[in-house]
Amino acid sequence: MYITCLDLEGVLVPEIWIAFAEATGIPELKRTTRDEPDYNKLMQYRLAILKEHGLGLKEIQDVIATIDPMPGAKEFLDELRTLCQVIIISDTFTQFAAPLMKKLGMPTIFCNTLEVAESGEVTGFKMRVENSKYATVKALQSIGFETIASGDSYNDLGMIKASKAGFLFKSTDKIKADNPDLPAFETYDELMAAIKAALV
């Protein structure tokens, strides 16, 4: 039994924080897990910027409402789900992901939760589990599943390397250069072919 584990942002949908940075004109918010390997450090940095500019959950969700999946992403996901079980494992938050899941046909997603005050200020975040992508893949393997994994960022490397087959997708030149042993693809057709080969 196989489960394919996919990252969300940068793989199926555009990066939410980059879209928000562009919408608000705050370039500092363009920093993502492609740039910063330490997720806790990255989120503390983001929360400080939100507080400084008086921005809360509503403003972020208004931008998310304008985001569509990447071209071909839903079709890729629809086909993949006919071949095996698929779980999206993301370090994003339920408050961000819900509208995007509707546009992707409601796939299963495991992600984290924002702590939000009544005023709408984002005051913190609760990680589902430490090192969530790697931990989730290992947990799936512990109950008898083989995993295939794909993602684009530093925080995806653990699940990619721990899986029976793992692939970088639309990643950065630096991450690809630092991990020459990992196959790297740029199109859904390439990724689909690699996953199909792994499922044999």
Side-chain angles (χ1 to χ4, degrees):
M1 288 287 292
Y2 280 92
I3 292 185
T4 298
C5 301
L6 299 174
D7 179 33
L8 177 64
E9 294 177 67
V11 173
L12 298 170
V13 303
E15 293 279 354
I16 291 168
W17 287 98
I18 290 177
F20 188 60
E22 289 170 351
T24 57
I26 304 171
E28 295 87 349
L29 285 174
K30 288 189 175 181
R31 192 164 178 78
T32 72
T33 50
R34 288 169 158 231
D35 312 299
E36 174 54 69
D38 185 331
Y39 191 72
N40 283 331
K41 182 177 171 185
L42 177 63
M43 277 307 298
Q44 295 299 344
Y45 169 81
R46 288 167 168 169
L47 294 182
I49 293 171
L50 292 178
K51 190 173 181 68
E52 178 189 340
H53 291 271
L55 297 167
L57 180 59
K58 181 185 184 304
E59 288 80 9
I60 302 171
Q61 287 179 326
D62 286 348
V63 171
I64 291 170
T66 70
I67 296 174
D68 286 321
M70 290 156 73
K74 185 178 185 299
E75 294 76 9
F76 165 77
L77 203 52
D78 287 346
E79 182 180 351
L80 185 58
R81 290 166 77 188
T82 69
L83 303 175
C84 63
Q85 296 295 316
V86 179
I87 299 175
I88 298 170
I89 307 176
S90 174
D91 278 339
T92 193
F93 306 96
T94 52
Q95 296 96 327
F96 290 2
L100 295 168
M101 292 305 99
K102 288 180 185 171
K103 293 181 180 182
L104 285 169
M106 296 306 290
T108 299
I109 183 168
F110 294 171
C111 58
N112 304 305
T113 309
L114 287 171
E115 295 169 346
V116 184
E118 283 188 22
S119 65
E121 179 188 350
V122 181
T123 56
F125 58 98
K126 185 170 179 5
M127 301 298 281
R128 185 170 51 81
V129 64
E130 195 62 37
N131 199 1
S132 65
K133 298 185 182 196
Y134 173 79
T136 301
V137 158
K138 295 307 285 183
L140 290 169
Q141 291 166 355
S142 78
I143 54 171
F145 290 100
E146 294 276 14
T147 60
I148 298 168
S150 185
D152 68 323
S153 297
Y154 284 106
N155 63 340
D156 299 312
L157 294 174
M159 74 170 180
I160 291 171
K161 292 180 177 181
S163 292
K164 182 168 185 185
F167 313 107
L168 291 170
F169 186 69
K170 295 183 182 291
S171 192
T172 66
D173 289 341
K174 175 157 178 38
I175 291 173
K176 287 188 279 191
D178 289 348
N179 297 275
D181 54 317
L182 296 178
F185 303 115
E186 296 298 321
T187 71
Y188 291 119
D189 287 347
E190 291 172 333
L191 182 58
M192 180 64 76
I195 293 172
K196 283 180 176 177
L199 287 170
V200 173

